[in-house]
Coordinates of all heavy atoms in Angstrom, one line a residue:
E1 N 13.7 -47.8 -12.6 CA 14.2 -48.4 -13.8 C 13.5 -47.9 -15.1 O 14.2 -47.6 -16.1 CB 14.0 -49.9 -13.8 CG 15.2 -50.7 -13.3 CD 14.8 -52.2 -13.3 OE1 14.5 -52.7 -14.4 OE2 14.9 -52.8 -12.2
M2 N 12.2 -47.7 -15.0 CA 11.5 -47.2 -16.1 C 11.9 -45.8 -16.5 O 12.1 -45.6 -17.7 CB 9.9 -47.2 -15.8 CG 9.1 -46.8 -17.0 SD 9.2 -48.1 -18.3 CE 7.6 -48.0 -18.9
S3 N 12.1 -45.0 -15.5 CA 12.5 -43.6 -15.9 C 13.9 -43.6 -16.5 O 14.2 -42.8 -17.4 CB 12.4 -42.7 -14.6 OG 13.3 -43.1 -13.6
A4 N 14.8 -44.4 -16.0 CA 16.2 -44.5 -16.5 C 16.1 -45.0 -18.0 O 16.8 -44.5 -18.8 CB 17.0 -45.4 -15.7
S5 N 15.2 -45.9 -18.3 CA 15.1 -46.4 -19.6 C 14.5 -45.3 -20.6 O 15.0 -45.2 -21.7 CB 14.1 -47.6 -19.6 OG 13.8 -48.0 -20.9
L6 N 13.6 -44.6 -20.1 CA 13.0 -43.5 -20.9 C 14.1 -42.4 -21.2 O 14.2 -41.9 -22.3 CB 11.8 -42.9 -20.2 CG 10.5 -43.7 -20.2 CD1 9.4 -43.1 -19.4 CD2 10.1 -44.0 -21.6
V7 N 14.8 -42.1 -20.2 CA 15.9 -41.1 -20.3 C 16.9 -41.5 -21.4 O 17.2 -40.8 -22.3 CB 16.6 -40.8 -19.0 CG1 17.8 -39.9 -19.2 CG2 15.7 -40.1 -18.0
G8 N 17.3 -42.8 -21.4 CA 18.2 -43.3 -22.4 C 17.5 -43.3 -23.8 O 18.2 -42.9 -24.7
S9 N 16.3 -43.6 -23.9 CA 15.6 -43.5 -25.2 C 15.5 -42.1 -25.7 O 15.8 -41.8 -26.9 CB 14.2 -44.0 -25.1 OG 14.2 -45.4 -24.8
E10 N 15.2 -41.1 -24.8 CA 15.1 -39.7 -25.2 C 16.5 -39.3 -25.7 O 16.6 -38.5 -26.7 CB 14.6 -38.9 -24.0 CG 13.2 -39.1 -23.7 CD 12.7 -38.4 -22.4 OE1 13.6 -37.7 -21.8 OE2 11.6 -38.6 -22.0
M11 N 17.5 -39.7 -25.0 CA 18.9 -39.3 -25.4 C 19.2 -39.8 -26.7 O 19.8 -39.2 -27.6 CB 19.9 -39.7 -24.3 CG 19.8 -38.9 -23.1 SD 20.9 -39.6 -21.8 CE 22.5 -39.4 -22.5
C12 N 18.8 -41.1 -27.0 CA 19.1 -41.7 -28.3 C 18.4 -41.0 -29.4 O 18.9 -40.7 -30.5 CB 18.5 -43.2 -28.2 SG 19.7 -44.3 -28.8
I13 N 17.1 -40.6 -29.2 CA 16.3 -39.9 -30.2 C 17.0 -38.5 -30.4 O 17.2 -38.1 -31.6 CB 14.9 -39.8 -29.7 CG1 14.2 -41.1 -29.8 CG2 14.1 -38.8 -30.6 CD1 12.9 -41.2 -29.0
R14 N 17.3 -37.8 -29.4 CA 17.9 -36.5 -29.5 C 19.2 -36.6 -30.3 O 19.4 -35.8 -31.2 CB 18.1 -35.9 -28.1 CG 18.7 -34.5 -28.2 CD 19.2 -33.9 -26.9 NE 20.4 -34.7 -26.6 CZ 20.7 -35.1 -25.3 NH1 19.9 -34.9 -24.3 NH2 21.8 -35.7 -25.1
D15 N 20.1 -37.5 -29.9 CA 21.4 -37.7 -30.6 C 21.2 -38.1 -32.0 O 22.0 -37.6 -32.9 CB 22.2 -38.7 -29.9 CG 22.7 -38.2 -28.5 OD1 22.6 -37.0 -28.2 OD2 23.2 -39.1 -27.7
S16 N 20.2 -38.9 -32.4 CA 20.1 -39.3 -33.8 C 19.6 -38.1 -34.7 O 19.6 -38.2 -35.9 CB 19.1 -40.5 -33.8 OG 17.8 -40.0 -33.5
Q17 N 19.1 -37.1 -34.1 CA 18.6 -35.9 -34.8 C 19.7 -34.9 -35.2 O 19.5 -34.0 -35.9 CB 17.5 -35.2 -34.1 CG 16.3 -36.1 -34.0 CD 15.2 -35.5 -33.1 OE1 15.4 -34.5 -32.4 NE2 14.0 -36.2 -33.1
I18 N 20.9 -35.1 -34.6 CA 22.0 -34.2 -34.9 C 22.6 -34.6 -36.2 O 23.2 -35.7 -36.3 CB 23.1 -34.3 -33.8 CG1 22.5 -33.8 -32.5 CG2 24.3 -33.4 -34.2 CD1 23.5 -34.1 -31.3
T19 N 22.5 -33.8 -37.2 CA 23.0 -34.1 -38.6 C 23.7 -32.9 -39.2 O 23.4 -31.8 -38.8 CB 21.9 -34.7 -39.5 OG1 20.9 -33.6 -39.7 CG2 21.2 -35.9 -39.0
T20 N 24.4 -33.2 -40.3 CA 24.9 -32.2 -41.2 C 25.0 -32.8 -42.5 O 24.7 -34.0 -42.7 CB 26.3 -31.6 -40.7 OG1 26.7 -30.5 -41.5 CG2 27.4 -32.7 -40.8
V21 N 25.4 -32.1 -43.5 CA 25.4 -32.6 -44.9 C 26.8 -32.5 -45.5 O 27.4 -31.4 -45.3 CB 24.4 -31.9 -45.7 CG1 24.4 -32.3 -47.2 CG2 23.0 -32.1 -45.2
C22 N 27.3 -33.5 -46.3 CA 28.5 -33.4 -47.0 C 28.4 -32.3 -48.1 O 27.4 -32.3 -48.8 CB 28.9 -34.7 -47.6 SG 30.4 -34.7 -48.6
S23 N 29.4 -31.4 -48.1 CA 29.4 -30.3 -49.1 C 29.6 -30.9 -50.6 O 29.2 -30.2 -51.5 CB 30.5 -29.4 -48.8 OG 30.4 -28.8 -47.5
L24 N 30.2 -32.1 -50.7 CA 30.4 -32.6 -52.0 C 29.3 -33.4 -52.6 O 29.0 -33.3 -53.8 CB 31.8 -33.4 -52.0 CG 33.0 -32.6 -51.5 CD1 34.2 -33.5 -51.4 CD2 33.2 -31.4 -52.4
C25 N 28.7 -34.3 -51.8 CA 27.7 -35.2 -52.3 C 26.3 -35.1 -51.7 O 25.4 -35.8 -52.1 CB 28.2 -36.7 -52.1 SG 28.1 -37.3 -50.4
A26 N 26.2 -34.2 -50.7 CA 25.0 -33.9 -50.1 C 24.5 -35.1 -49.2 O 23.3 -35.1 -48.8 CB 23.9 -33.4 -51.1
Q27 N 25.3 -36.0 -48.9 CA 24.9 -37.1 -48.1 C 24.8 -36.6 -46.6 O 25.6 -35.8 -46.2 CB 26.0 -38.2 -48.1 CG 25.8 -39.4 -47.2 CD 26.9 -40.4 -47.3 OE1 27.2 -40.8 -48.4 NE2 27.5 -40.8 -46.2
E28 N 23.8 -37.1 -46.0 CA 23.6 -36.8 -44.6 C 24.6 -37.4 -43.7 O 24.9 -38.6 -43.9 CB 22.2 -37.2 -44.1 CG 21.8 -36.7 -42.8 CD 20.4 -37.0 -42.4 OE1 20.1 -38.2 -42.1 OE2 19.5 -36.2 -42.5
I29 N 25.2 -36.7 -42.8 CA 26.2 -37.2 -41.8 C 25.5 -37.1 -40.4 O 25.1 -36.0 -40.0 CB 27.5 -36.4 -41.8 CG1 28.1 -36.4 -43.3 CG2 28.5 -37.0 -40.8 CD1 29.2 -35.4 -43.4
R30 N 25.4 -38.2 -39.8 CA 24.7 -38.3 -38.5 C 25.7 -38.2 -37.3 O 26.8 -38.5 -37.5 CB 23.9 -39.5 -38.4 CG 22.7 -39.6 -39.4 CD 21.9 -40.8 -39.2 NE 20.8 -40.8 -40.1 CZ 20.8 -41.4 -41.3 NH1 21.8 -41.9 -41.8 NH2 19.7 -41.3 -42.0
A31 N 25.1 -37.9 -36.1 CA 25.9 -37.9 -34.9 C 26.7 -39.3 -34.8 O 26.1 -40.3 -35.0 CB 25.0 -37.7 -33.7
G32 N 27.9 -39.2 -34.4 CA 28.7 -40.4 -34.2 C 29.5 -40.8 -35.5 O 30.4 -41.7 -35.4
E33 N 29.2 -40.2 -36.6 CA 29.9 -40.6 -37.9 C 31.0 -39.6 -38.1 O 31.0 -38.5 -37.6 CB 28.9 -40.5 -39.1 CG 27.8 -41.5 -39.1 CD 26.9 -41.4 -40.3 OE1 26.8 -40.3 -40.9 OE2 26.3 -42.4 -40.6
T34 N 32.1 -40.1 -38.8 CA 33.3 -39.3 -39.0 C 33.0 -38.3 -40.1 O 32.4 -38.6 -41.1 CB 34.4 -40.2 -39.4 OG1 34.6 -41.2 -38.3 CG2 35.7 -39.4 -39.6
L35 N 33.6 -37.1 -40.0 CA 33.6 -36.1 -41.0 C 34.8 -35.2 -40.9 O 35.5 -35.3 -39.9 CB 32.3 -35.2 -40.9 CG 32.1 -34.4 -39.6 CD1 32.8 -33.0 -39.8 CD2 30.7 -34.2 -39.3
W36 N 35.1 -34.5 -42.0 CA 36.3 -33.6 -42.0 C 35.7 -32.2 -42.4 O 34.8 -32.1 -43.2 CB 37.3 -34.0 -43.0 CG 38.0 -35.3 -42.6 CD1 39.2 -35.4 -42.0 CD2 37.6 -36.6 -42.8 NE1 39.5 -36.7 -41.8 CE2 38.5 -37.5 -42.3 CE3 36.4 -37.2 -43.3 CZ2 38.4 -38.9 -42.3 CZ3 36.3 -38.6 -43.3 CH2 37.3 -39.4 -42.8
Q37 N 36.3 -31.2 -41.8 CA 35.9 -29.8 -42.2 C 37.2 -29.0 -42.5 O 38.2 -29.1 -41.8 CB 35.2 -29.2 -41.0 CG 33.8 -29.8 -40.8 CD 33.0 -29.1 -39.8 OE1 33.5 -28.7 -38.7 NE2 31.7 -28.9 -40.1
R38 N 37.1 -28.3 -43.6 CA 38.2 -27.4 -44.0 C 37.7 -26.3 -44.9 O 36.9 -26.5 -45.8 CB 39.2 -28.2 -44.9 CG 40.4 -27.5 -45.3 CD 41.5 -28.4 -45.8 NE 42.7 -28.0 -46.2 CZ 43.2 -26.9 -46.6 NH1 42.6 -25.9 -46.6 NH2 44.4 -26.7 -47.0
D39 N 38.0 -25.1 -44.5 CA 37.6 -23.9 -45.2 C 36.1 -23.8 -45.5 O 35.7 -23.5 -46.6 CB 38.4 -23.8 -46.5 CG 39.9 -23.6 -46.3 OD1 40.3 -23.1 -45.2 OD2 40.7 -24.0 -47.2
G40 N 35.3 -24.2 -44.5 CA 33.9 -24.1 -44.7 C 33.3 -25.3 -45.3 O 32.0 -25.4 -45.4
A41 N 34.1 -26.3 -45.8 CA 33.5 -27.5 -46.5 C 33.4 -28.6 -45.4 O 34.3 -28.7 -44.6 CB 34.4 -27.9 -47.6
T42 N 32.4 -29.4 -45.5 CA 32.2 -30.5 -44.7 C 32.2 -31.8 -45.6 O 31.5 -31.8 -46.6 CB 30.8 -30.5 -43.9 OG1 30.8 -29.3 -43.1 CG2 30.6 -31.7 -43.1
V43 N 33.1 -32.7 -45.2 CA 33.3 -33.8 -46.1 C 33.0 -35.2 -45.4 O 33.5 -35.4 -44.3 CB 34.8 -33.8 -46.6 CG1 35.1 -35.0 -47.6 CG2 35.1 -32.5 -47.3
C44 N 32.2 -36.0 -46.0 CA 31.9 -37.3 -45.4 C 33.0 -38.3 -45.7 O 33.9 -38.1 -46.6 CB 30.6 -37.8 -46.0 SG 30.6 -38.3 -47.7
T45 N 32.9 -39.5 -45.1 CA 33.9 -40.6 -45.3 C 34.0 -41.0 -46.8 O 35.1 -41.2 -47.3 CB 33.5 -41.8 -44.4 OG1 33.5 -41.3 -43.1 CG2 34.6 -42.9 -44.5
D46 N 32.9 -41.1 -47.5 CA 32.9 -41.5 -48.9 C 33.6 -40.5 -49.8 O 34.2 -41.0 -50.8 CB 31.4 -41.7 -49.4 CG 30.7 -42.8 -48.7 OD1 31.4 -43.7 -48.2 OD2 29.5 -42.8 -48.8
C47 N 33.6 -39.3 -49.5 CA 34.2 -38.2 -50.3 C 35.6 -37.9 -49.9 O 36.3 -37.1 -50.5 CB 33.3 -37.0 -50.3 SG 31.8 -37.2 -51.1
F48 N 36.1 -38.4 -48.7 CA 37.4 -38.0 -48.2 C 38.5 -38.2 -49.1 O 39.3 -37.3 -49.4 CB 37.6 -38.7 -46.8 CG 39.0 -38.4 -46.3 CD1 39.3 -37.1 -45.8 CD2 40.1 -39.3 -46.4 CE1 40.5 -36.8 -45.3 CE2 41.3 -39.0 -45.9 CZ 41.5 -37.7 -45.4
L49 N 38.7 -39.4 -49.7 CA 39.8 -39.6 -50.6 C 39.9 -38.7 -51.8 O 40.9 -38.1 -52.1 CB 39.9 -41.1 -51.0 CG 40.4 -42.1 -49.9 CD1 40.3 -43.5 -50.4 CD2 41.8 -41.7 -49.4
P50 N 38.8 -38.6 -52.6 CA 38.8 -37.6 -53.7 C 39.1 -36.2 -53.2 O 39.8 -35.5 -53.9 CB 37.4 -37.7 -54.3 CG 36.8 -39.0 -53.8 CD 37.5 -39.3 -52.5
F51 N 38.5 -35.8 -52.1 CA 38.8 -34.5 -51.5 C 40.2 -34.3 -51.2 O 40.8 -33.3 -51.6 CB 37.9 -34.3 -50.3 CG 38.1 -32.9 -49.6 CD1 37.5 -31.8 -50.1 CD2 38.8 -32.9 -48.4 CE1 37.7 -30.6 -49.5 CE2 39.0 -31.7 -47.8 CZ 38.5 -30.5 -48.3
A52 N 40.8 -35.2 -50.5 CA 42.2 -35.2 -50.1 C 43.1 -35.1 -51.3 O 44.1 -34.3 -51.4 CB 42.6 -36.3 -49.2
R53 N 42.8 -35.9 -52.3 CA 43.6 -35.9 -53.6 C 43.6 -34.6 -54.2 O 44.6 -34.0 -54.7 CB 43.2 -37.0 -54.5 CG 43.6 -38.4 -54.2 CD 43.2 -39.4 -55.3 NE 43.5 -40.7 -54.8 CZ 42.6 -41.6 -54.5 NH1 41.3 -41.3 -54.6 NH2 43.0 -42.8 -54.1
E54 N 42.5 -34.0 -54.3 CA 42.3 -32.6 -54.9 C 43.1 -31.6 -54.1 O 43.7 -30.7 -54.7 CB 40.9 -32.3 -55.1 CG 40.6 -31.0 -55.9 CD 41.2 -31.1 -57.4 OE1 41.2 -32.2 -58.0 OE2 41.7 -30.1 -57.9
E55 N 42.9 -31.6 -52.8 CA 43.5 -30.6 -51.9 C 45.1 -30.8 -52.0 O 45.8 -29.8 -51.9 CB 43.1 -30.8 -50.5 CG 41.7 -30.3 -50.2 CD 41.5 -28.8 -50.3 OE1 42.3 -28.1 -49.7 OE2 40.6 -28.4 -51.1
L56 N 45.6 -32.0 -52.1 CA 47.0 -32.2 -52.1 C 47.6 -32.2 -53.5 O 48.9 -32.4 -53.7 CB 47.3 -33.5 -51.4 CG 47.0 -33.5 -49.9 CD1 47.1 -34.9 -49.3 CD2 47.8 -32.5 -49.2
R57 N 46.8 -32.1 -54.6 CA 47.3 -32.1 -55.9 C 48.5 -31.2 -56.2 O 49.5 -31.5 -56.9 CB 46.2 -31.8 -57.0 CG 46.6 -32.1 -58.4 CD 45.5 -32.0 -59.4 NE 44.3 -32.8 -59.0 CZ 44.2 -34.1 -59.1 NH1 45.2 -34.8 -59.6 NH2 43.1 -34.8 -58.8
P58 N 48.5 -30.0 -55.6 CA 49.7 -29.1 -55.8 C 51.0 -29.7 -55.3 O 52.1 -29.2 -55.7 CB 49.3 -27.8 -55.1 CG 47.9 -27.8 -54.9 CD 47.5 -29.3 -54.9
F59 N 51.0 -30.6 -54.5 CA 52.2 -31.2 -53.9 C 52.5 -32.6 -54.5 O 53.4 -33.3 -54.0 CB 52.0 -31.4 -52.4 CG 51.5 -30.1 -51.7 CD1 50.2 -29.9 -51.4 CD2 52.4 -29.0 -51.5 CE1 49.8 -28.7 -50.8 CE2 52.0 -27.9 -51.0 CZ 50.7 -27.7 -50.6
E60 N 51.8 -33.0 -55.5 CA 51.9 -34.3 -56.1 C 53.1 -34.3 -57.2 O 53.2 -33.3 -57.9 CB 50.6 -34.7 -56.8 CG 50.6 -36.0 -57.5 CD 49.3 -36.3 -58.2 OE1 48.6 -35.3 -58.5 OE2 49.0 -37.4 -58.5
Y61 N 53.9 -35.3 -57.1 CA 54.8 -35.6 -58.2 C 55.1 -37.1 -58.3 O 54.8 -37.8 -57.4 CB 56.1 -34.7 -58.0 CG 57.0 -35.2 -56.8 CD1 58.1 -36.0 -57.0 CD2 56.7 -34.8 -55.5 CE1 58.8 -36.4 -56.0 CE2 57.5 -35.2 -54.5 CZ 58.6 -36.0 -54.7 OH 59.3 -36.5 -53.6
I62 N 55.8 -37.5 -59.3 CA 56.1 -38.9 -59.6 C 57.6 -39.1 -59.3 O 58.4 -38.3 -59.9 CB 55.7 -39.3 -61.0 CG1 54.2 -39.2 -61.2 CG2 56.2 -40.7 -61.3 CD1 53.8 -39.4 -62.6
L63 N 57.9 -40.0 -58.4 CA 59.2 -40.3 -58.0 C 60.1 -40.6 -59.3 O 59.6 -41.4 -60.1 CB 59.3 -41.4 -57.0 CG 60.6 -41.7 -56.4 CD1 61.1 -40.4 -55.6 CD2 60.5 -42.9 -55.5
G64 N 61.2 -40.0 -59.4 CA 62.1 -40.2 -60.6 C 61.9 -39.2 -61.7 O 62.7 -39.1 -62.6
E65 N 60.8 -38.3 -61.6 CA 60.6 -37.3 -62.6 C 60.9 -36.0 -61.9 O 60.8 -35.8 -60.7 CB 59.2 -37.3 -63.1 CG 58.8 -38.5 -63.9 CD 57.4 -38.4 -64.5 OE1 56.7 -37.3 -64.3 OE2 56.9 -39.4 -65.0
E66 N 61.3 -35.0 -62.7 CA 61.6 -33.7 -62.1 C 60.3 -33.0 -61.6 O 59.3 -33.2 -62.2 CB 62.2 -32.7 -63.2 CG 63.6 -33.1 -63.6 CD 64.2 -32.1 -64.5 OE1 64.0 -30.9 -64.4 OE2 64.9 -32.6 -65.4
M67 N 60.4 -32.4 -60.5 CA 59.3 -31.7 -59.9 C 59.0 -30.4 -60.7 O 59.9 -29.7 -61.1 CB 59.5 -31.3 -58.4 CG 59.6 -32.5 -57.5 SD 59.9 -32.1 -55.8 CE 58.6 -31.1 -55.4
A68 N 57.7 -30.2 -61.0 CA 57.3 -29.0 -61.7 C 57.5 -27.8 -60.8 O 57.2 -27.9 -59.6 CB 55.9 -29.1 -62.2
E69 N 57.9 -26.7 -61.3 CA 58.1 -25.5 -60.5 C 56.9 -24.6 -60.6 O 56.2 -24.4 -61.5 CB 59.3 -24.7 -61.0 CG 60.5 -25.6 -61.0 CD 61.5 -25.3 -59.8 OE1 61.3 -24.2 -59.3 OE2 62.3 -26.1 -59.5

């Protein structure tokens, strides 16, 4: 039992050390957290909506108005 417990603790410690950083806000992203990657950028959950809006801006238009060419 003791050895199984230690193995679980070691795995927990090892997994908690896996991190990356958001390219937009420099927030640390840990193992188990959601992130998005596109064209070399890593984006955290907090930055996802502004990032998506900027990426999709060329396809944005207002219903009822003519689309810009």
Side-chain angles (χ1 to χ4, degrees):
E1 263 181 60
M2 183 67 145
S3 63
S5 173
L6 288 174
V7 170
S9 293
E10 289 170 8
M11 288 174 61
C12 227
I13 292 167
R14 185 192 69 220
D15 290 348
S16 69
Q17 293 174 351
I18 299 171
T19 62
T20 190
V21 176
C22 177
S23 301
L24 303 177
C25 71
Q27 175 178 310
E28 188 176 76
I29 304 168
R30 293 184 177 90
E33 295 181 335
T34 302
L35 61 89
W36 290 263
Q37 291 186 317
R38 181 164 182 346
D39 297 334
T42 300
V43 181
C44 70
T45 302
D46 293 340
C47 293
F48 175 73
L49 286 177
F51 176 78
R53 282 188 187 108
E54 189 59 35
E55 287 292 309
L56 295 172
R57 191 170 310 282
F59 308 102
E60 178 181 23
Y61 70 97
I62 297 172
L63 189 61
E65 292 185 8
E66 291 185 35
M67 291 179 60
E69 304 257 341

